[in-house]
Amino acid sequence: MSRRAVILSAVPVSTALCRYVQPGDFVVACDAGYRNAERLDLIVGDFDSAPQPKTEHETIVLPHVKDDTDTQYAAHWLLEHGYDEITLLGALGGARLEHTLANLATGLYPPF
């Protein structure tokens, strides 16, 4: 049985794209991506794009200086925890070209 997850990055996500979030999906918000979340299970980030929210949801606070983006960290975390179908939303077209390129590379990382 497939284990599905959705990563919400910081680029605003349209209502039309929200249809990709299905009941039972594990939802991870990356940094400011929590602004895209109607529901979520985990927040991951260094919180350089938005203040860390006060929440009861599990939160992994990353250091500001690191090799991976918050989205890459979330993808690796999900793979390590047995998720084999991962959808990236809000990962392309933001103000930071290097994040868009890194998110494209994340989507190409096996086994996506």
Side-chain angles (χ1 to χ4, degrees):
M1 182 176 193
S2 178
R3 291 187 70 198
R4 290 179 35 93
V6 175
I7 296 174
L8 297 171
S9 292
V11 176
V13 175
S14 72
T15 305
L17 288 178
C18 289
R19 73 177 192 270
Y20 289 105
V21 180
Q22 298 178 9
D25 286 352
F26 188 85
V27 180
V28 180
C30 296
D31 208 312
Y34 67 81
R35 295 175 178 159
N36 286 323
E38 289 185 19
R39 69 173 182 83
L40 56 93
D41 299 295
L42 173 66
I43 301 172
V44 172
D46 57 12
F47 303 101
D48 63 347
S49 301
Q52 183 178 346
K54 294 183 190 307
T55 181
E56 293 182 11
H57 295 291
E58 181 180 358
T59 302
I60 299 173
V61 179
L62 302 174
H64 290 285
V65 178
K66 60 190 180 305
D67 291 331
D68 289 344
T69 66
D70 300 337
T71 300
Q72 288 171 319
Y73 181 92
H76 291 291
W77 187 95
L78 288 166
L79 290 172
E80 289 171 3
H81 286 83
Y83 291 89
D84 54 5
E85 186 176 336
I86 301 170
T87 301
L88 300 173
L89 296 176
L92 303 177
R96 295 182 62 184
L97 178 60
E98 73 274 18
H99 279 196
T100 295
L101 295 174
N103 290 337
L104 284 169
T106 299
L108 295 172
Y109 180 80
F112 292 147

